[in-house]
Amino acid sequence: KGYRLVAKVQVISPPPSRALPAPDPPPVPFPPPLAIPETVSDLLPPSRAPGAGETVAGRRDGERAGEYSRRATRLGLAVGAVLIALFAAGWLLGHTYFAPSPVNSPPSIVVLPFLDMTQERTDQFFCDGLAEELSNWLAQIPTLRVVARTSAFAFRGQQDTREIGRQLNTTHVLEGSLRRYGDHVRITVQLIDARSGFHLWSSEYDRQAEDTIAMQEEVARSVAESLQIRLTEDTSQRFAERRSANAQAYNLYLLALHYQAERTREANKKALELYQQALALDPKFALADVGLAYVTLNERYLDGRSLVEVAAAAEPLLEQAARIDPQLSELYAIRGALREEQMRYDDALSDLERAVVLNPNDSWAFAQHGRLLLALARPREGLDKLAHAATLDPLDFTLHARECIALQDMARYKEAQAECTRARALEDSGNFGAIASQWLEWTQGHLPQALEWNAEAQRLAPDDMFLYERRADLLLTMGMASAARQALEQARVATRNEDGVDLEMSRIV
């Protein structure tokens, strides 16, 4: 556990100095024996002709003195080099093993997925939601950088906290576990210095399952105290805004967070049901309103619902959240995404700017802001937002793919290539990295290479009409109209999108 000094600390004056007898001088060692020259001439430097006004004897005396001076200089340089080497070695040794980490480095933290320690291992989804929302609580502290979910959850089950800190560039790691028994849960959390691997603080909370909200707030405050961060009234108010009046509604919300992050059609439907149940228990739970609006927007792409339908369902939810909690950053991030879909770009920019001001740790809002700026042909500003999002979520491949697109828009092709390569390396499945690489090659006029990346993207998503359209564009640009027609006929079979194929075919004709 360690110890804390509780005694009063005061400066003690040094005792008066007393004259001490001078120590005996150290014994002088005998010099090493000198080499005896065979002749007198061996003592002298090579001869040269005397200069004007110079005698042979004077020249020899001067050369002898110069040689002694050069030898002394070389000896002094050698001794100096040895002393510098010894000092450097001592400095490195001290800084490697004894020096503390820089005190001025700003604190940052990653919350790893909590371990499910229940006997049946049936609470992992709840553990994931708990860890993500704890990150969201910590993200309300403006002076603390919090790593986003995508990067944090990439280290599920890993134990080397120093390596995790190195890869995510964080100073601290928070890990925990949950065990449920009856109507109680026991949560254990540990705060670790990622630079040294030492445990700074740990605590165990044994409460009724309904006390999850109180536990999360208590953990967040304890972490801030351990990192010597002073919580302002504004931060305390933000903590309060994340609470629910109904503990069961809050637990349903935590489960919905897990399913929402899956981004599949089935998981999105499950999240939608859980948010609806949470709002039935607590109609004034603003976070659940915003969450339900978010998964409703996702139905536009996961279920093919029209923009008119999803907007009609999402607008009342966002209005309700704005009435309850107008300072909720998630509200403006989701509303900004909706406004972008509606092509209300000024409103979208305003909402997204408000979101990142309210929560500088909202990587999703920064990413949305950057994506919108790219679409509005403002790549420099977009790249700035995307780069900030990447510092909060460095392992999110979509951010690197969008940075690749922004850089190619500015003709910074070498940097763009590096970001596209990074995106493909991070992407476990999917084809966004291949699509960005296709655009990168196309932008530079490398049409055969663009076709290769298009083929790779099609292999990963064979029913994506967008990819067939781009392939037809490429082939037509290369003067291969018949091959472009063939590509669209393949799309007719693979996508069953007759209208889309006919529209593209008319353009080819």
Side-chain angles (χ1 to χ4, degrees):
K1 295 292 185 180
Y3 296 90
R4 176 175 292 174
L5 181 66
V6 296
K8 183 178 180 181
V9 180
Q10 59 189 107
V11 177
I12 300 177
S13 301
S17 60
R18 293 180 298 171
L20 297 177
D24 294 333
V28 179
F30 287 106
L34 297 174
I36 300 176
E38 294 181 2
T39 65
V40 175
S41 61
D42 291 336
L43 288 170
L44 305 177
S47 61
R48 64 178 177 83
E54 181 184 21
T55 66
V56 173
R59 184 194 69 191
R60 287 181 175 176
D61 289 342
E63 288 179 342
R64 187 177 295 113
E67 177 64 20
Y68 291 158
S69 175
R70 286 191 292 273
R71 288 180 181 177
T73 301
R74 288 196 296 269
L75 178 61
L77 290 174
V79 171
V82 171
L83 290 174
I84 291 172
L86 290 173
F87 173 78
W91 184 90
L92 282 173
L93 181 65
H95 277 69
T96 301
Y97 296 104
F98 306 111
S101 300
V103 294
N104 293 327
S105 58
S108 53
I109 193 169
V110 55
V111 181
L112 299 181
F114 278 29
L115 296 176
D116 178 12
M117 302 297 289
T118 56
Q119 188 173 0
E120 299 81 10
R121 299 294 191 271
T122 56
D123 271 333
Q124 188 58 61
F125 291 172
F126 182 80
C127 288
D128 288 353
L130 183 67
E132 182 173 0
E133 182 58 11
L134 182 54
S135 287
N136 293 335
W137 280 69
L138 291 170
Q140 307 308 308
I141 304 173
T143 55
L144 178 65
R145 180 173 68 86
V146 183
V147 174
R149 183 189 195 277
T150 304
S151 296
F153 279 42
F155 293 94
R156 185 189 298 275
Q158 297 192 28
Q159 302 296 323
D160 190 343
T161 53
R162 284 181 293 183
E163 178 62 18
I164 293 171
R166 186 190 68 79
Q167 291 198 36
L168 298 180
N169 193 28
T170 58
T171 60
H172 296 82
V173 173
L174 188 73
E175 60 183 19
S177 63
L178 178 143
R179 178 179 284 109
R180 190 188 298 271
Y181 56 99
D183 60 348
H184 279 67
V185 292
R186 178 177 296 158
I187 296 176
T188 303
V189 289
Q190 300 175 88
L191 180 66
I192 304 168
D193 188 322
R195 296 157 293 189
S196 65
F198 294 150
H199 286 63
L200 302 179
W201 164 80
S202 65
S203 188
E204 189 174 87
Y205 303 87
D206 195 336
R207 309 277 180 81
Q208 288 190 337
E210 288 77 14
D211 288 341
T212 307
I213 305 172
M215 281 190 290
Q216 283 197 307
E217 182 168 352
E218 194 170 341
V219 171
R221 290 183 177 277
S222 296
V223 168
E225 180 181 356
S226 297
L227 299 181
Q228 299 181 1
I229 298 174
R230 186 177 67 86
L231 297 183
T232 64
E233 288 297 324
D234 180 61
T235 302
S236 298
Q237 178 61 31
R238 293 185 184 185
F239 282 173
E241 290 161 355
R242 304 195 75 82
R243 301 180 190 132
S244 170
N246 186 287
Q248 182 59 25
Y250 190 78
N251 290 340
L252 291 169
Y253 167 77
L254 294 181
L255 280 173
L257 282 180
H258 164 80
Y259 287 105
Q260 171 185 305
E262 294 292 308
R263 290 187 173 90
T264 64
R265 186 170 181 268
E266 294 73 18
N268 199 67
K269 285 186 177 297
K270 183 65 176 177
L272 188 143
E273 295 170 2
L274 290 166
Y275 281 132
Q276 289 174 334
Q277 294 173 26
L279 286 170
L281 293 171
D282 182 4
K284 294 186 177 181
F285 191 9
L287 276 175
D289 279 313
V290 173
L292 183 54
Y294 178 76
V295 296
T296 301
L297 288 181
N298 283 345
E299 289 185 316
R300 173 160 162 72
Y301 298 99
L302 296 174
D303 292 281
R305 292 184 67 185
S306 70
L307 177 60
V308 173
E309 288 181 297
V310 298
E315 291 281 10
L317 295 167
L318 296 172
E319 291 172 4
Q320 168 78 352
R323 286 193 296 269
I324 298 170
D325 183 7
Q327 299 301 311
L328 197 62
S329 64
E330 290 93 335
L331 160 67
Y332 299 99
I334 302 303
R335 196 170 73 182
L338 175 59
R339 296 292 178 257
E340 181 185 353
E341 293 285 343
Q342 296 170 324
M343 297 186 184
R344 295 168 55 180
Y345 297 129
D346 289 341
D347 292 336
L349 285 172
S350 176
D351 276 341
L352 291 170
E353 288 167 1
R354 181 83 179 275
V356 298
V357 168
L358 287 172
N359 184 0
N361 281 303
D362 193 340
S363 64
W364 191 85
F366 274 103
Q368 286 293 113
H369 198 182
R371 189 173 70 86
L372 176 56
L373 289 168
L374 282 184
L376 297 176
R378 295 160 62 179
R380 287 177 179 81
E381 298 168 80
L383 181 62
D384 180 64
K385 301 300 180 184
L386 291 167
H388 187 87
T391 65
L392 297 169
D393 205 354
L395 301 185
D396 186 347
F397 70 90
T398 63
L399 297 175
H400 296 282
R402 295 195 188 285
E403 284 187 86
C404 173
I405 294 171
L407 288 164
Q408 63 183 266
D409 283 353
M410 293 184 284
R412 292 161 60 178
Y413 297 123
K414 188 174 181 180
E415 297 169 78
Q417 183 66 59
E419 290 299 329
C420 270
T421 302
R422 175 75 168 154
R424 296 195 305 270
L426 290 172
E427 191 172 13
D428 291 333
S429 60
N431 62 354
F432 192 23
I435 291 173
S437 299
Q438 165 198 272
W439 283 117
L440 175 58
E441 298 296 346
W442 195 343
T443 303
Q444 299 174 85
H446 304 158
L447 301 187
Q449 292 87 340
L451 276 174
E452 291 177 6
W453 284 117
N454 177 271
E456 174 64 12
Q458 276 190 339
R459 184 185 67 80
L460 296 168
D463 59 348
D464 189 342
M465 180 65 193
F466 168 82
L467 296 175
Y468 290 96
E469 293 172 359
R470 298 290 74 76
R471 188 168 191 83
D473 285 343
L474 276 166
L475 292 167
L476 189 63
T477 303
M478 298 170 71
M480 303 169 64
S482 60
R485 288 172 179 264
Q486 185 179 358
L488 291 175
E489 290 300 337
Q490 292 173 350
R492 195 185 302 276
V493 176
T495 68
R496 299 181 182 179
N497 186 346
E498 293 287 341
D499 290 342
V501 170
D502 288 341
L503 182 61
E504 285 300 304
M505 192 70 79
S506 68
R507 196 165 56 82
I508 298 292
V509 172

